[in-house]
Each structure stands twice: as structure tokens, then as C-alpha cells.
Amino acid sequence: MGSRGRDVSEVALRDANVTARESSSRAAVLRRLRLNDRIFHGLTRGAALTVLALLSGVIIALIIGAAPALGTFGFSFLTSQSWNPVTEKFGALAPIYGTLVTSFIAMVIAVPVGLMVAFFLTELCPMVLRRPIGIAIELLAGIPSIIYGIWGLFVFAPFLQKYVQPFLIDTFGSIPILGTLFEGPPYGIGMLTAGLILAIMVLPFVTSISRDVFSAVPPVLKEAAYGVGCTTWEVFRNVVLPYTRVGVIGGFMLGLGRALGETMAVTFVIGNAHKVSASILAPGTTISASIANEFTEAVGDLYTSSLIALGLILFFITFIVLAIARYLLARMNRLG
Amino acid sequence: MSAAAANSLYAGRRRRNAIAKTLALAATIFGLGWLVLILGVLLFHGLSGLSLAVFTENTPPPGAAGGLANAIIGSVIMTVLAVIIGTPIGILAGTYLAEYGRHDKLSNVVRFINDILLSAPSIVIGLFIYEVMVAPMGHFSGYAGAVALAVIVIPVVVRTTEDMLTLVPDTLREAAASIGLPRSLMIMRIAYRAAQAGIVTGILLAIARISGETAPLLFTALNNQFWSLNMNAPMPSLPVVIFQFALSPYEEWQKLAWTGALLITVTVLALSIFARSLTATRKQ
């Protein structure tokens, strides 16, 4: 009995010790957990702020880098066509012009084609084929731009030079105003070629975003239109398109943003001529192609700074286009 | 309206419908045709130059035979480092957007900025890294190239992480909270695990994206004709070598450019198909 009683009390004593230890360690554990919680929260917040810092860093670095050139040339940097490393006279007009023209050609082709592909995928395509075709289009978007570039240089440009451009020159060259667009010899490389390659690159973007917003249309709207006897095309034209207008335009802007900033594919086939030509067959240059071609060879601070100033202009243009795109797409999502 | 007029109206509508449908089909064939055409040409030119030497020999001087070994290893090193730098930041930032600040002001701004970064011209990223790393250091380096690629990785990972975490049902989070799990543990043990496949997909897509990026490497990592594992020196990469070789007048170089292009495309396509299959099987 005696020994057993001692045992019990010892056990009780031990238990009390354990509980005391446990409760103090529980408090420690809770403190540690709270601390961990705060650290993790801080880390995630810091990472989110890093994203902000990156963008501000890009803008600040570009402005600082561009300052010497913009300070020297002032507003005439935007309006001057000369690009002369020897006399150190630089103007951004030709690259800006080339960027706008090639992107415009790209959008003129990619927008209607992309819309029609999205129309096919959402309304006409047999169900079994929808996923594979959708994936194939998205793979087209994933191919790196340098691949388009090398293909454009060795395959597409010679093809255009041999078959398409002579045809364009013969057909339209003699028409008074339109003819200036197709003046000059068929070089193969040039603004038209760059624009066409951009069109191929932008097409998947336009298609996949259009497809996404089209499939967000409530089926009941389409069913109602079919119910009153609309054809498939009329449903698309009068119900789907108006309903998704905002989102579709957002998709165009996103594609345009990509076309404006695209570098490698264009660099291969644009021809790198710093001049503004009315003919789209003529070689030209774009902002990104100028930077890619000349940056490592640029000697002198003013030359480098001028190229960075080009980058700043490009960033400014794409920022606005992308901001509009995101705003429109966000509005579309709220609707849908 | 007479019956005849009504009939002709109806016929016109049907005709327009038929034309539109045909155009849509034609547009789709046109769009997919490019994919087939580009891949076909790439296989044709690239396969003819593919040999063991491509993987074992360095880039040759003009007019000589050689391989792409130094460019391949350079690309791999810079890509790995870029993912090591970019992924944690991307995942943590995505976590903040989805878990802590779903609707707060900071998140809305970060989300918007991230979307801009996601589609910002990559050449501008190259200029940025040149300004903040190459110019102060005084020389081109593999580090600068890797950081430039990391800047491209971050927005991709932020976006997919946020999207995937948002898909995790809130009931899981509530269940974790109800047994007293702290928020950080809930995120790490429950939310991350539920969104695992999606987050991995995001990382793979980011790798696919940067393995073909050329513009940001042109004036950060530059290029190097020789075998170099020194990240503090100019480093060769597959895309930059392709750019240089394709524009050269030498036939051997052009051939190697095609082979390199094939390697990149196969890598990118394999990565994106694998990434997609990860999330596709989860959906079922």
C-alpha cells in the first residue's frame, strides 16, 4: 500500500511538472506560430511590393538612361528622321513610324482572322475538335519569337520576294495613290514582311482571348436568338459580338501590345533602314529592332542614351495600350 | 411583303450564313496552317544538322564545323538561376494576392502592374538590367542575363499562383482555421498542396517562356564563343547564338542556327504540353 501511495503521488507530481512544462511550452509554441505567421505575411507582402518595385525600377532606369539624349535633342527627338552615329544626331521618327506601320499591318490581318477562328471554335467546331484546335492555337502563341524570325528570314521573305511582292507591284503599282504603298523593288525583307510575321504571331492571342470572352456569353441569350430564327452568323454578329465587344477590343489591345514590342521576329526581316518610306515594301526599322541591332555596338554615351530613349518611348506606348487592354478586359469580366 | 421577296430575303440570309461559316473554317485552316508550316520547315532544316557533335562541341569559328554545347549549357545555367530567383518571389507575391490581400488596394495595384509586366516588351527588360547591373559592374555577365530572365519569370508565376490559389475552395481554409491552424501553416500545408499542380504548371510555363527569350539576353549576358561556366563573365545562350548565326553569311553557322531553333522549339512545346497535361488531368 505504502509503496503504491508513494508511486501515485510521484506520478501526480510528475504530471503536475509535465503540465506546467507543457503549458509554458504551449505558450512558446503559440508565440512561435504567431511570429511565423507574421514573418510569412511580411514575406508575401514584400514579394508583392517587389513586383511594384520592378515596374518603377524599369521606368526610373529608362528615364535616367534616356535623359542625356532627351536633354540634347529635346522634342525634336520625336520628329527628326536623322539617325547618324557619326555626327551624333539622333531622331526617333523612323523607328516609331516603322513600329506603328508594322503593328498596323499585323492588326489589320490578325483581327478579322482571329475573330473568325474564334467564331469557328465557339459556334461551329465539332466538340471533339475544340480542345485540340484550341491547344494548337495556344502552342502557336508559345513558339519563341526568334523561331518566327529565322523562319521569316530564310523561308517567308524569299517567298514574298519571289511571288507576292512582284504581284503586288504589278497589280497596284500603277494606281496613282495606292501605288506609292507598293513602290520600289521587291526586297523580300521590309515593313510588309515584318507586319505579316507579326500578324501570325498576334493571331493566337486575339483568337484565344476572343474565344474566352465568346464562351462567356450566357447560353440563354444565344438560344433566344436562335429561337426567333436567327442563323448562326446572325447570332454571332448581332448577339455574341455586341455582348462581348468590350472584351474583344481588350483582346485586340493585348495583341497590339505584343506586336508593338515584338523584337526578334521583326529584327530578322525589317531591313534596318532608319528612314520613313511610304512604300510598305521598303526596308525600315522599328524601335525594338533598332535597340536589338545597335545597342551592343553603340559607342558614345549619346548613342546609347538615344537607344534607351527609344526604349522609353516603346515602354510608354505599350504601357498605355496594355493598360487600356487590362481595363477593358476587367470590365468585361465584371459583366460576365 | 410578297412571298417571293420573303423567299429571296431568306435565301440571302442563308447565303450570308454559309459564306460566314466557310470563311470561319478557312480562317481556322489558315491559322493552323502556319503552325504546321513553321514546324515542318523547322524539322526539315533542323533535323538535317542534328548530330552528337551539336551537344559535345562548342560553337565554331566562321567556316568550321562545330556544335552548340557551350550555348546549351549557358542557356540551362541562366534559366535555372532565373527560376531559382524568380519562382519564390512569384509564388509569395501570388500568395499575397490570393490569401492576404484579395481585395485590398495594394493587391489591385500589384495585379494591374503584374499584368503590364507580363506583356511588357522583353527588350525593355534587357535595357533595364543593362542600366542597373551591366553598366555599374562594367561588363556583361551571366548573372545579368539570369536576372533579366528572372524579371520575366516573376509575373508569369505571380499570375498562375494567384489564379490557382483562388480556385482552392474556401471551405478548406475554414476547416483548417477551425482546428486552430495558423494562417501561414494553412497556406503552406493546405492551400499550396491543393494548388500544387497548378503552381508547377505556372513554373513550367515560365521556363518555356524564358527558354526562347533572346531580346533580354542580347545586352546582359551578351555571348561567348567558348565554353564558360563563369557567371561573372559574358555567357553564351542558345537564342543569342541562333540570332548571330542566322544573320551570318556562313552556311555552317546558318545550319547550326536551324538546329538550335529546332532544339528550342521542341523544348518549349514539350514543356507547355507537359504543363497543360498536369492541370488537365487534375480537372477530371
Side-chain angles (χ1 to χ4, degrees):
Chain A
M1 264 310 257
S3 73
R4 209 182 145 198
R6 208 165 55 233
D7 279 351
V8 169
S9 69
E10 268 173 11
V11 168
L13 216 60
R14 220 168 39 227
D15 274 3
N17 270 339
V18 168
T19 340
R21 230 180 23 244
E22 256 185 1
S23 73
S24 78
S25 78
R26 179 170 296 141
V29 164
L30 282 179
R31 253 200 315 279
R32 213 179 57 230
L33 286 178
R34 255 201 302 276
L35 183 68
N36 286 349
D37 239 20
R38 218 169 296 154
I39 292 174
F40 191 70
H41 188 169
L43 276 178
T44 58
R45 205 179 152 86
L49 289 170
T50 308
V51 174
L52 287 189
L54 274 180
L55 189 88
S56 347
V58 170
I59 295 173
I60 293 169
L62 287 179
I63 290 179
I64 292 176
L70 295 180
T72 310
F73 303 115
F75 190 70
S76 74
F77 187 72
L78 289 178
T79 53
S80 160
Q81 218 196 114
S82 76
W83 188 266
N84 192 334
V86 182
T87 59
E88 297 214 308
K89 290 268 178 291
F90 298 103
L93 188 63
I96 294 176
Y97 173 77
T99 302
L100 296 180
V101 170
T102 50
S103 299
F104 180 75
I105 296 173
M107 295 315 285
V108 163
I109 295 166
V111 164
V113 176
L115 275 183
M116 289 312 270
V117 177
F119 169 50
F120 179 81
L121 281 178
T122 50
E123 308 290 335
L124 304 174
C125 186
M127 275 298 175
V128 270
L129 285 179
R130 271 181 206 194
R131 233 179 98 76
I133 295 182
I135 290 175
I137 298 265
E138 274 163 35
L139 288 182
L140 196 60
I143 295 179
S145 64
I146 189 156
I147 308 298
Y148 288 94
I150 188 171
W151 175 81
L153 179 68
F154 288 116
V155 182
F156 197 49
F159 168 79
L160 288 177
Q161 182 176 26
K162 204 161 175 193
Y163 302 104
V164 179
Q165 294 184 345
F167 167 78
L168 287 174
I169 294 169
D170 291 344
T171 321
F172 301 109
S174 51
I175 304 172
I177 294 160
L178 197 63
T180 51
L181 279 180
F182 303 102
E183 244 167 25
Y187 289 111
I189 54 175
M191 289 194 286
L192 177 67
T193 314
L196 292 176
I197 289 187
L198 283 180
I200 301 171
M201 297 188 63
V202 168
L203 178 64
F205 282 78
V206 175
T207 304
S208 68
I209 291 182
S210 308
R211 187 196 54 183
D212 289 349
V213 294
F214 289 166
S215 42
V217 176
V220 63
L221 283 183
K222 291 196 274 185
E223 283 156 13
Y226 281 122
V228 295
C230 287
T231 61
T232 317
W233 170 246
E234 283 163 347
V235 171
F236 177 71
R237 177 76 192 71
N238 302 320
V239 177
V240 176
L241 261 192
Y243 186 84
T244 56
R245 196 180 49 225
V246 178
V248 167
I249 295 173
F252 295 165
M253 299 301 260
L254 212 56
L256 179 61
R258 165 138 188 174
L260 289 167
E262 183 45 58
T263 310
M264 297 323 292
V266 174
T267 308
F268 273 99
V269 296
I270 189 82
N272 300 302
H274 274 276
K275 65 176 203 267
V276 176
S277 328
S279 168
I280 56 171
L281 301 184
T285 190
T286 67
I287 294 176
S288 48
S290 300
I291 302 172
N293 263 311
E294 299 171 36
F295 197 79
T296 46
E297 284 147 29
V299 280
D301 289 343
L302 204 55
Y303 195 176
T304 309
S305 172
S306 298
L307 287 168
I308 296 177
L310 279 183
L312 181 64
I313 295 170
L314 176 66
F315 192 68
F316 184 70
I317 300 174
T318 44
F319 189 96
I320 291 173
V321 169
L322 293 173
I324 297 174
R326 293 302 173 184
Y327 169 74
L328 292 175
L329 287 171
R331 228 178 79 186
M332 182 69 212
N333 280 342
R334 275 205 297 279
L335 277 177
Chain B
M1 199 194 289
S2 73
N7 260 341
S8 81
L9 184 68
Y10 186 55
R13 286 176 55 203
R14 273 211 305 202
R15 199 166 50 240
R16 264 198 296 286
N17 191 41
I19 292 172
K21 280 182 171 177
T22 319
L23 280 179
L25 183 64
T28 310
I29 294 171
F30 177 78
L32 289 178
W34 295 116
L35 185 66
V36 176
L37 205 63
I38 292 172
L39 289 183
V41 169
L42 205 56
L43 280 176
F44 174 76
H45 285 282
L47 278 180
S48 69
L50 203 60
S51 67
L52 198 63
V54 169
F55 301 98
T56 57
E57 286 177 31
N58 288 343
T59 46
L68 297 164
N70 55 339
I72 294 174
I73 196 74
S75 272
V76 170
I77 291 174
M78 284 192 284
T79 305
V80 169
L81 186 59
V83 171
I84 290 175
I85 300 171
T87 308
I89 299 177
I91 290 184
L92 286 174
T95 308
Y96 183 83
L97 296 183
E99 299 286 344
Y100 285 107
R102 226 176 249 197
H103 303 293
D104 72 6
K105 223 176 196 153
L106 174 67
S107 294
N108 284 332
V109 176
V110 170
R111 222 169 267 140
F112 175 74
I113 296 297
N114 192 64
D115 280 347
I116 300 270
L117 277 178
L118 198 61
S119 14
S122 57
I123 192 146
V124 172
I125 308 288
L127 284 177
F128 165 58
I129 298 298
Y130 175 87
E131 284 280 292
V132 299
M133 281 186 79
V134 178
M137 287 163 77
H139 58 88
F140 300 101
S141 69
Y143 288 123
V147 173
L149 293 180
V151 175
I152 296 170
V153 168
I154 291 172
V156 181
V157 177
V158 171
R159 185 62 186 272
T160 40
T161 305
E162 192 205 347
D163 287 352
M164 291 304 151
L165 284 176
T166 322
L167 286 181
V168 175
D170 278 337
T171 45
L172 278 183
R173 292 191 180 89
E174 285 155 11
S178 74
I179 56 163
L181 208 58
R183 203 160 181 187
S184 57
L185 283 182
M186 179 276 283
I187 293 171
M188 284 188 269
R189 302 249 172 99
I190 311 288
Y192 280 169
R193 210 164 282 183
Q196 209 172 34
I199 295 176
V200 173
T201 300
I203 299 171
L204 289 175
L205 288 178
I207 299 175
R209 167 95 194 264
I210 59 171
S211 46
E213 277 292 352
T214 320
L217 293 176
L218 284 176
F219 24 82
T220 51
L222 201 66
N223 199 354
N224 193 335
Q225 288 283 47
F226 308 103
W227 178 268
S228 165
L229 299 179
N230 179 6
M231 294 217 62
N232 203 22
M235 200 166 214
S237 65
L238 212 39
V240 176
V241 167
I242 294 174
F243 178 54
Q244 188 196 346
F245 281 15
L247 285 171
S248 79
Y250 312 110
E251 207 169 300
E252 291 87 353
W253 278 16
Q254 293 179 357
K255 212 171 175 109
L256 276 175
W258 275 112
T259 310
L262 179 67
L263 290 179
I264 287 187
T265 311
V266 169
T267 313
V268 169
L269 290 185
L271 276 170
S272 25
I273 291 172
F274 178 59
R276 264 166 241 279
S277 72
L278 268 184
T279 37
T281 41
R282 252 181 60 82
K283 262 181 210 151
Q284 283 155 12

